[in-house]
Amino acid sequence: MFRLRCSGENEKEEKSHRERIRRILNGLREKQWNIAIAESSAGGQLAADLTESVPGASDVVAGSAVCYQLEAKRRVLGLTEVEEWNVVSDTTAWAMAGAARRVYNAHVGVGTTGYLDGSYRAYWAIQLPLSPGGDPTAIATTLSGGYSFDPDLPDGRATNRRILVNQVLDMLDVTLGLKG
């Protein structure tokens, strides 16, 4: 869950974060969709945020896999071609999102990969059902993004992970038509 160390302004941010999670979960419920997540650089934070913040998440969160190592991406997600790619790429994020949909038979798949220190870059992808009916086996439309982190941020890895997770949550919020 999005926890901050101080009170006051940070309490407002935490409340806003919970409200965003609630919007996303309710948006998924309204569409009768579920979501599955394959995380590398996010380290499980995205799934934790979706399941810790609001009761009843289990009716829309199908499952999550944290696949940090290359071998985990191969074994758990079935990404046998990953050895041919740069593990930190938009292609891998896209493949992870698709694998999450397949492994958990979910309508929406999210994949994240990146370096939280060193070269400070990350990629994410969200795959959505092609039709309003939301057939999980249908070819999906995909949204993706990538960015570079500021290496001088305090508490670099944790801050960079939070930036990544917030970008994905913001895009889910917008994509589900919940935020303009």
Side-chain angles (χ1 to χ4, degrees), residues 93-163:
W94 180 86
M96 290 174 71
R101 289 182 77 223
R102 180 182 41 73
V103 167
Y104 293 103
N105 193 33
H107 300 92
V108 178
V110 178
T112 68
T113 187
Y115 299 118
L116 296 179
D117 47 25
S119 65
Y120 296 98
R121 60 192 163 116
Y123 298 91
W124 54 266
I126 301 170
Q127 289 193 5
L128 301 166
L130 196 55
S131 66
D135 177 1
T137 62
I139 296 172
T141 185
T142 305
L143 303 161
S144 61
Y147 56 93
S148 296
F149 297 116
D150 179 353
D152 297 322
L153 288 173
D155 196 17
R157 288 184 67 79
T159 301
N160 290 335
R161 180 175 286 118
R162 176 51 51 204
I163 290 168

Side-chain angles (χ1 to χ4, degrees), residues 2-101:
F2 185 58
R3 291 190 179 93
L4 299 166
R5 296 182 188 111
C6 305
S7 59
E9 197 60 37
N10 291 335
E11 289 176 13
K12 290 179 186 176
E13 288 181 38
E14 189 169 339
K15 182 179 178 188
S16 173
H17 182 71
R18 280 193 307 272
E19 289 169 359
R20 175 175 54 179
I21 297 294
R22 189 173 289 112
R23 272 194 317 272
I24 292 167
L25 295 176
N26 287 337
L28 289 165
R29 282 185 194 98
E30 288 170 16
K31 293 180 182 300
Q32 297 181 338
W33 288 353
N34 60 358
I35 188 170
I37 305 146
E39 300 178 70
S40 180
S41 55
Q45 187 65 56
L46 181 57
D49 281 9
L50 288 172
T51 58
E52 285 180 348
S53 298
V54 179
S58 62
D59 60 341
V60 292
V61 178
S64 174
V66 177
C67 298
Y68 231 59
Q69 294 184 345
L70 182 59
E71 187 61 25
K73 289 174 180 70
R74 290 182 190 135
R75 286 184 174 200
V76 176
L77 301 176
L79 301 181
T80 55
E81 306 88 15
V82 78
E83 65 189 330
E84 299 172 15
W85 306 332
N86 177 354
V87 175
V88 176
S89 67
D90 56 349
T91 303
T92 299
W94 180 86
M96 290 174 71
R101 289 182 77 223

